[in-house]
């Protein structure tokens, strides 16, 4: 006992042994602990007298090992069960382990089941047993199950994940939820029921995900629910009426991630869409996510908007730190962008926007930079029609001259624009239109030859991408433009 190793407190050894078995399978953990017990009497006593090392149970354990783990957990509510049935035939060994776990169900702190409906009968007695200490429940059903799981009385659940199996949501144990994930038929058919669950768990809830659910009904709530700790919200492939009801009802000032994907087969009234709810001017939830809620201290907010095939992604940075992420999937992203630009146009806060439209067209609604003008700092466009219109609009002034009659730098469309990246088409006549618009823009916006008008602020980056076949033809144009805008450059692609 003279060696310094024996003077290390048992609590320190406990943490070391916990780290050694963390993340391992239950059987491997038990074998590791038994090997460590054979090193010396001191380690043997330490491990034997530390019930928190004996917590993991799963479907691969032999009955004798399961019994050993339960015995050494000393009746504490610390057991964690992971059961993966996957439709297999249950042996007497499985039955024996399940029976032991059921007899000691008051010790269960978490349960994870991955199975098919046919497996439910084998674990039904466990699910209906007394689980007073249970804090985390996951049931991952391989296909829809018609049975309803009823929990016993006990401490409030913290984490609930259900897929294609229904829970009796009348239980009072949902009032302490930190995370709630409902997939497939697990979600209550009435949005009203889900909203009641959220009201009960409002003070603690941090994560909410509803996915791949059909047959849900619409619900109109007259007042909003504040979820002060909600950080992540995911609504995917559920009826728009259901997701609209949730978005319209929830207010989560700390939310930093929202992902919304519309159901593939939706019928909607254009005035009642989910997009219209999210981007309704004055929407406090959207403002909170974007960092644009009412505030007295001036902060630098940078909003990056990426529009691509059937999706819009918005990243928010505040003072150099990422604040939020809004990911919206839609079959008509151009409609969403139209609503979005109106939202930003009417918002009084000061912020800058980076607009990147990569693989989406505006169909019958041409790109209009005027509503973005006050906030736009970076513009990236790929489609040629949008690029031509942008070149034409950037050569215009957005406001009338000031009272003194003198034009200022702030009179231009997008006066704070610092970075521009556009594309020029290969077709000769289309290319000529773009080059003409480019020359006109540069002369109007940045040339100081006309002393009557104040030129706009110089950009720090102005790139136009063209095909290799026309690149050499545009070298003369590039040299001409760089005399006025030194950062200008043609880049080749393909």
């Amino acid at each position: 006992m003279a060696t310094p190793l024996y003077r290390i407190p048992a609590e320190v050894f406990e943490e070391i042994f916990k780290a050694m078995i963390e993340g391992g399978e239950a059987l491997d953990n038990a074998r590791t602990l038994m090997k460590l017990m054979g090193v010396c009497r001191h380690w043997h006593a330490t491990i034997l007298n530390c019930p928190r090392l004996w917590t993991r149970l799963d479907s691969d354990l032999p009955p004798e090992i399961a019994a050993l783990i339960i015995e050494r957990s000393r009746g504490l509510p610390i057991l964690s069960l992971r059961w993966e049935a996957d439709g297999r035939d249950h042996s007497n060994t499985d039955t024996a382990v399940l029976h032991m776990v059921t007899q000691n169900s008051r010790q269960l702190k978490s349960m994870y089941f991955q199975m098919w409906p046919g497996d439910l009968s084998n674990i039904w007695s466990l699910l209906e047993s007394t689980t007073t200490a249970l804090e985390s429940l996951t049931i991952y059903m391989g296909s829809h199950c018609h049975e309803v799981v009823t929990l016993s009385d006990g401490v409030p659940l913290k984490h609930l994940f259900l897929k294609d199996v229904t829970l009796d949501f009348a239980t009072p144990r949902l009032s302490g939820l930190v995370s709630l994930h409902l997939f497939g038929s697990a979600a209550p058919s009435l949005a009203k029921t889900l909203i009641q669950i959220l009201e009960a768990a409002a003070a603690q809830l941090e994560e909410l995900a509803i996915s791949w659910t059909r047959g849900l009904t619409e619900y109109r709530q007259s007042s909003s629910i504040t979820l002060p700790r909600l950080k992540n919200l995911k609504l995917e492939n559920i009826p728009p009426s259901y997701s609209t009801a949730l978005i319209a009802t929830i207010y989560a000032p700390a939310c930093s991630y929202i992902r919304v994907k519309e159901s593939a087969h939706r019928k909607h009234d254009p005035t009642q869409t989910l997009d219209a709810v999210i981007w309704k001017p004055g929407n406090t939830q959207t403002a909170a996510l974007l960092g644009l809620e009412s505030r007295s201290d001036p902060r630098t907010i940078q909003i990056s908007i990426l529009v691509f095939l059937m999706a819009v992604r918005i990243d928010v940075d505040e003072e150099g730190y990422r604040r939020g992420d809004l990911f919206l999937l839609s079959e008509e992203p151009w409609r969403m962008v139209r609503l979005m630009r109106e939202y930003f146009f009417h918002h009084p806060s000061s912020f800058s926007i980076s607009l990147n439209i990569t693989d989406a067209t505006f169909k019958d609604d041409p790109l209009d930079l005027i509503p973005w003008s006050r906030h736009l700092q970076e513009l990236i466009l790929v489609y040629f029609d949008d690029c031509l219109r942008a070149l034409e609009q950037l050569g215009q002034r957005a406001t009338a001259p000031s009272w003194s009659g003198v034009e200022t730098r702030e009179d231009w469309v997008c006066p704070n624009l610092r970075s521009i990246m556009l594309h020029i088409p290969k077709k000769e006549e289309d290319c000529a239109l773009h080059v003409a618009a480019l020359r006109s823009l540069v002369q109007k916006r940045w040339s100081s030859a006309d002393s009557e008008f104040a030129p706009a602020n110089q950009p720090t980056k102005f790139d136009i991408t063209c095909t290799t076949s026309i690149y050499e033809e545009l070298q003369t144009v590039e040299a001409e433009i760089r005399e006025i805008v030194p950062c200008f450059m043609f880049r080749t692609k393909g």
Side-chain angles (χ1 to χ4, degrees):
M1 296 294 288
T3 174
L5 184 64
Y6 290 105
R7 293 197 291 269
I8 298 177
E11 294 80 5
V12 176
F13 271 119
E14 179 180 335
E15 294 302 318
I16 293 173
F17 295 147
K18 275 170 137 181
M20 291 178 68
I21 62 175
E22 187 174 3
E25 299 294 332
L27 184 57
D28 292 337
N29 288 354
R31 287 171 174 167
T32 299
L33 290 173
M34 285 187 281
K35 286 180 181 179
L36 291 172
M37 289 174 67
V39 171
C40 63
R41 291 181 180 179
H42 182 54
W43 283 22
H44 184 280
T46 299
I47 294 172
L48 192 61
N49 293 310
C50 181
R52 296 190 182 279
L53 293 175
W54 305 91
T55 62
R56 297 288 301 278
L57 298 165
D58 67 29
S59 51
D60 293 327
L61 280 178
E64 60 273 16
I65 300 297
L68 184 67
I69 292 172
I70 293 173
E71 177 188 351
R72 291 181 177 177
S73 65
R74 298 190 178 181
L76 294 178
I78 56 176
L79 292 179
S80 173
L81 173 67
R82 183 181 182 92
W83 199 266
E84 299 182 21
D86 295 332
R88 69 187 182 189
D89 292 331
H90 288 270
S91 63
N92 292 332
T93 297
D94 294 335
T95 303
V97 173
L98 280 173
H99 181 67
M100 274 189 285
V101 175
T102 302
Q103 286 185 316
N104 295 273
S105 61
R106 292 177 182 272
Q107 289 185 248
L108 287 168
K109 188 174 183 179
S110 72
M111 293 195 296
Y112 175 100
F113 297 99
Q114 184 173 325
M115 56 190 177
W116 292 86
D119 301 313
L120 192 58
S121 60
N122 297 296
I123 65 165
W124 194 252
S125 58
L126 175 56
L127 288 173
E128 291 195 324
S129 63
T130 304
T131 53
T132 52
L134 189 67
E135 294 182 354
S136 177
L137 175 62
T138 296
I139 304 179
Y140 194 100
M141 199 67 69
S143 62
H144 174 63
C145 175
H146 297 283
E147 302 290 342
V148 178
V149 176
T150 302
L151 294 177
S152 69
D153 293 336
V155 300
L157 287 177
K158 291 183 179 179
H159 308 284
L160 179 61
F161 181 112
L162 300 176
K163 180 183 180 297
D164 287 325
V165 64
T166 304
L167 181 74
D168 179 3
F169 291 108
T171 174
R173 297 188 67 177
L174 304 183
S175 61
L177 285 175
V178 175
S179 64
L180 176 61
H181 298 249
L182 301 175
F183 294 78
S185 59
S189 59
L190 293 175
K192 179 180 180 180
T193 303
L194 178 59
I195 289 171
Q196 289 172 344
I197 297 171
L198 299 182
E199 286 178 325
Q204 293 82 26
L205 195 64
E206 296 182 6
E207 294 183 16
L208 174 61
I210 313 291
S211 301
W212 295 99
T213 302
R214 296 182 180 181
L216 305 178
T217 59
E218 184 175 0
Y219 171 67
R220 297 185 181 278
Q221 176 87 352
S222 58
S223 59
S224 65
I225 303 170
T226 299
L227 305 177
R229 296 188 178 183
L230 189 70
K231 298 176 182 177
N232 296 285
L233 174 62
K234 184 184 295 185
L235 305 173
E236 294 185 291
N237 294 294
I238 63 177
S241 60
Y242 198 98
S243 53
T244 299
L246 291 176
I247 290 290
T249 303
I250 293 171
Y251 173 58
C255 192
S256 58
Y257 177 83
I258 292 182
R259 180 183 176 95
V260 178
K261 182 177 180 180
E262 296 176 338
S263 181
H265 304 290
R266 62 183 180 87
K267 297 180 181 179
H268 64 86
D269 177 350
T271 63
Q272 298 292 326
T273 61
L274 175 62
D275 295 341
V277 172
I278 294 175
W279 298 110
K280 180 181 179 181
N283 184 324
T284 53
Q285 176 57 69
T286 303
L289 178 69
L290 299 176
L292 304 178
E293 70 272 33
S294 177
R295 61 182 193 270
S296 57
D297 57 313
R299 291 173 286 174
T300 302
I301 301 291
Q302 174 72 40
I303 300 174
S304 301
I305 303 172
L306 174 61
V307 185
F308 51 102
L309 187 61
M310 297 179 64
V312 174
R313 176 171 180 163
I314 303 173
D315 295 319
V316 183
D317 290 303
E318 180 180 327
E319 302 288 357
Y321 295 95
R322 186 166 181 174
R323 175 191 174 99
D325 187 354
L326 178 61
F327 193 81
L328 306 169
L329 288 94
S330 171
E331 295 179 3
E332 301 173 333
W334 56 271
R335 184 194 70 224
M336 195 186 307
V337 172
R338 183 178 63 220
L339 294 166
M340 193 187 311
R341 74 190 183 198
E342 293 300 316
Y343 177 88
F344 288 124
F345 180 74
H346 290 96
H347 205 286
S349 297
S350 176
F351 52 90
S352 59
I353 289 178
S354 169
L355 181 60
N356 182 339
I357 302 177
T358 302
D359 286 315
T361 61
F362 286 90
K363 297 185 177 180
D364 298 325
D365 184 30
L367 174 68
D368 185 4
L369 295 179
I370 302 298
W372 304 94
S373 184
R374 184 162 58 99
H375 304 293
L376 199 62
Q377 191 173 70
E378 180 180 46
L379 179 64
I380 304 173
L381 301 174
V382 171
Y383 279 90
F384 303 135
D385 289 344
D386 295 337
C387 293
L388 180 60
R389 183 164 177 79
L391 289 169
E392 294 170 343
Q393 281 200 313
L394 290 175
Q396 302 171 4
R397 290 176 174 79
T399 62
S402 62
W403 64 271
S404 63
V406 178
E407 297 277 359
T408 69
R409 296 179 187 272
E410 300 302 316
D411 296 331
W412 294 95
V413 169
C414 307
N416 301 310
L417 193 60
R418 294 292 180 267
S419 179
I420 308 168
M421 285 172 273
L422 308 175
H423 283 64
I424 280 184
K426 177 180 179 180
K427 195 174 180 181
E428 186 175 343
E429 53 268 34
D430 292 334
C431 179
L433 285 173
H434 281 69
V435 170
L438 173 62
R439 279 179 162 145
S440 175
L441 162 65
V442 172
Q443 287 293 332
K444 289 179 180 178
R445 187 178 178 95
W446 293 292
S447 175
S448 58
D450 190 345
S451 59
E452 182 181 353
F453 304 114
N457 291 313
Q458 283 277 346
T460 56
K461 184 174 185 178
F462 190 178
D463 293 352
I464 291 187
T465 300
C466 60
T467 60
T468 306
S469 59
I470 65 171
Y471 177 71
E472 292 186 4
E473 301 175 25
L474 296 175
Q475 292 301 292
T476 304
V477 179
E478 181 181 73
E480 174 188 331
I481 293 174
R482 293 188 71 169
E483 291 182 2
I484 301 173
V485 183
C487 69
F488 179 80
M489 183 179 297
F490 279 119
R491 296 185 181 275
T492 60
K493 181 180 179 181

